[in-house]
């Protein structure tokens, strides 16, 4: 019944003439995730055991005023990565569990079942996996270890403009990943993506991809490093190296991230030019129900100088309002009205966005 409700809701967001937006239900990870979800649901119901199913969602929308440097300014609504999903976990025994997750993007502003940035992508996550004392093995479209270890510590804003000050990819389809258990604060993660999955990612590279990352946590301090081998994009070697350090002091959180390209791309002013670097300084301070955020970044040939300032105010444990100002010196996040990955380009060439919005988790 739950699956039927989700499919019915999805169909309301996807016009009948755009059946390609629903083709993810025919992909292997999505089919397997739905099948495993059904098996877990039936097993839990039959055993009358503690539920292993978690239905969740997050509504995130903003009103923004965008002033591109080389294009006409506009004011309008934009989705800020709304989603709905299912998490399932079935314990085989005390030391082993089967897992599945299916998460769909909901572009509220455009009333489409798709990601507001990569608007060709009708799915965020579709994974199956196994967890045990050995760690976790997962397959499907999932978060990548380089992002989790290196980029996530500075990706903490609430608006659509969060997360652009990095060269790495967030999620990749058809990915096999392994993460180790935590051993005295030290953990490792690795992932391999086939060319068909990497081609569908925001990188649009028709070649295999692999990543490896290590994280060490001691008290309130966290240190992480990673490698992202992005695959051959036509110029041979194409690797990204990164390191991140973060520390929590009472209500103050501080983080710094550094990324550098090693590639065969010698073309000037390119996204993956050899030697390109990204440096991020991020901090936030909690004052009662409000959190003030600031990020300063320098990302060569992808935003260049970036300033991002914001404030979140909690209305409840599930709801918050936010206001942010985002500035980039060159094209990265800014697009045409309600545009995405395919709608940026040289015509925008940097600018400023002011956004106010609401986030409600359920």
């Amino acid at each position: 019944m739950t699956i039927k409700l989700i499919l019915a809701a999805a169909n309301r967001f996807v016009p009948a003439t755009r059946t390609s937006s629903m083709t993810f239900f025919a992909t292997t990870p999505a089919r397997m995730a739905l099948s495993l979800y059904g098996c877990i649901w039936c097993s839990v119901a039959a055993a009358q055991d503690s539920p292993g199913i978690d239905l969740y969602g997050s509504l995130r929308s903003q009103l923004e005023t965008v002033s591109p440097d080389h294009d006409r300014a506009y004011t309008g609504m934009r989705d800020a990565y709304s989603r709905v999903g299912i998490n399932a976990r079935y314990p085989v025994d005390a030391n082993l569990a089967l897992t599945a997750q299916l998460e769909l993007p909901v572009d509220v502003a455009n009333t489409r079942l798709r990601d507001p940035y990569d608007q060709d992508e009708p799915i965020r996550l579709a994974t199956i996996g196994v967890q045990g004392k050995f760690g976790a093995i997962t397959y499907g479209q999932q978060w990548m270890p380089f992002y989790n270890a290196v980029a996530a510590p500075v990706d903490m804003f609430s608006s659509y403009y969060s997360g652009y000050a990095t060269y790495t990819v967030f999620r990749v389809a058809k990915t096999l990943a392994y993460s180790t258990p935590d051993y005295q604060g030290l953990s490792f993660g690795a992932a391999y993506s086939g060319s068909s999955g990497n081609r569908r990612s925001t990188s649009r590279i028709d070649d295999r991809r692999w990543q490896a990352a290590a994280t060490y946590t001691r008290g309130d301090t966290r240190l992480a490093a990673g490698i992202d081998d992005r695959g051959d994009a036509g110029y041979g070697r194409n690797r990204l190296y990164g390191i991140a350090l973060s520390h929590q002091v009472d209500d103050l959180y501080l983080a710094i991230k550094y990324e550098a390209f090693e590639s065969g791309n010698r073309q000037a002013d390119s996204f993956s030019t050899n030697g390109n670097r990204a440096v991020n300084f991020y901090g936030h301070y909690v004052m009662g129900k409000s959190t003030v955020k600031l990020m300063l970044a320098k990302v060569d040939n992808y935003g260049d100088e970036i300033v991002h300032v914001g404030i979140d105010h909690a209305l409840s444990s599930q709801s918050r309002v936010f206001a942010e100002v985002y500035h980039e010196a060159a094209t990265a996040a800014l697009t045409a009205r309600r545009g995405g990955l395919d709608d940026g380009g040289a015509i925008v060439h940097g600018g400023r966005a002011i956004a106010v919005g609401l986030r409600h988790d359920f």
Side-chain angles (χ1 to χ4, degrees):
M1 173 62 76
T2 305
I3 296 175
K4 290 181 179 178
L5 290 174
I6 291 176
L7 291 176
N11 285 327
R12 293 186 63 183
F13 274 87
V14 182
T17 57
R18 297 194 59 187
T19 54
S20 61
S21 295
M22 297 301 292
T23 56
F24 71 89
F25 284 114
T27 64
T28 299
R31 284 203 311 269
M32 296 179 71
L34 284 170
S35 298
L36 183 56
Y37 164 77
C39 293
I40 292 174
W41 178 266
C42 293
S43 300
V44 170
Q48 293 184 348
D49 201 353
S50 58
I53 305 296
D54 178 28
L55 304 178
Y56 65 92
S58 183
L59 174 65
R60 310 178 184 195
S61 189
Q62 67 188 49
L63 174 66
E64 63 178 9
T65 296
V66 180
S67 302
D69 287 343
H70 292 179
D71 201 4
R72 181 175 299 178
Y74 63 87
T75 298
M77 297 297 299
R78 187 187 288 272
D79 184 73
Y81 310 107
S82 300
R83 77 287 303 266
V84 61
I86 305 170
N87 258 319
R89 187 176 189 275
Y90 179 70
V92 178
D93 56 36
N95 299 315
L96 189 68
L98 303 178
T99 64
Q101 185 176 12
L102 180 64
E103 185 176 292
L104 311 181
V106 184
D107 186 348
V108 176
N110 291 304
T111 61
R112 295 288 188 272
L113 190 68
R114 67 183 187 188
D115 186 84
Y117 173 63
D118 185 358
Q119 297 184 353
D120 293 329
E121 183 56 78
I123 188 169
R124 283 175 60 88
L125 302 169
T127 64
I128 55 171
V130 58
Q131 292 180 345
K133 289 185 177 180
F134 57 85
I137 300 174
T138 52
Y139 175 76
Q141 180 150 321
Q142 56 190 298
W143 293 98
M144 299 296 283
F146 187 99
Y147 169 80
N148 289 337
V150 177
V154 298
D155 182 12
M156 295 193 177
F157 285 90
S158 297
S159 75
Y160 170 87
Y161 299 100
S162 182
Y164 283 88
T166 180
Y167 294 118
T168 197
V169 67
F170 290 2
R171 301 173 296 274
V172 181
K174 298 184 179 181
T175 296
L176 180 65
Y178 170 68
S179 58
T180 70
D182 184 284
Y183 178 73
Q184 296 185 354
L186 183 64
S187 62
F188 298 91
Y192 178 88
S193 309
S195 59
S196 60
N198 199 22
R199 183 172 62 247
R200 287 169 46 193
S201 76
T202 54
S203 298
R204 304 290 200 260
I205 297 174
D206 190 8
D207 193 20
R208 92 300 172 261
R209 185 181 202 135
W210 65 264
Q211 295 187 0
T215 303
Y216 177 69
T217 303
R218 183 171 183 178
D220 294 323
T221 302
R222 179 183 182 274
L223 176 65
I227 302 174
D228 179 5
D229 190 306
R230 304 172 69 240
D232 188 353
Y235 41 80
R237 195 174 185 86
N238 187 11
R239 284 187 181 177
L240 179 66
Y241 300 91
I243 188 169
L245 176 65
S246 61
H247 184 67
Q248 182 83 41
V249 184
D250 297 326
D251 294 327
L252 177 65
Y253 171 85
L254 298 171
I256 182 173
K257 174 180 71 69
Y258 176 82
E259 297 174 0
F261 259 110
E262 181 189 12
S263 76
N265 185 358
R266 297 300 191 267
Q267 179 181 351
D269 302 327
S270 174
F271 177 87
S272 58
T273 299
N274 183 58
N276 272 1
R277 292 173 172 80
V279 181
N280 306 61
F281 297 92
Y282 172 85
H284 70 236
Y285 186 75
V286 179
M287 301 180 295
K289 294 184 177 182
S290 298
T291 302
V292 179
K293 306 176 181 181
L294 170 66
M295 184 182 71
L296 305 176
K298 176 66 168 66
V299 186
D300 293 338
N301 300 322
Y302 190 62
D304 287 336
E305 291 82 16
I306 296 173
V307 179
H308 199 167
V309 181
I311 183 169
D312 288 6
H313 181 76
L315 303 176
S316 68
S317 59
Q318 294 178 293
S319 301
R320 73 181 74 164
V321 291
F322 60 85
E324 295 180 11
V325 178
Y326 173 86
H327 170 81
E328 63 185 26
T331 298
L334 298 182
T335 69
R337 183 190 300 265
R338 297 185 184 177
L341 174 61
D342 298 327
D343 300 299
I347 190 172
V348 175
H349 198 69
R352 183 187 70 248
I354 301 174
V356 293
L358 170 69
R359 170 176 169 175
H360 177 71
D361 301 327
F362 54 92

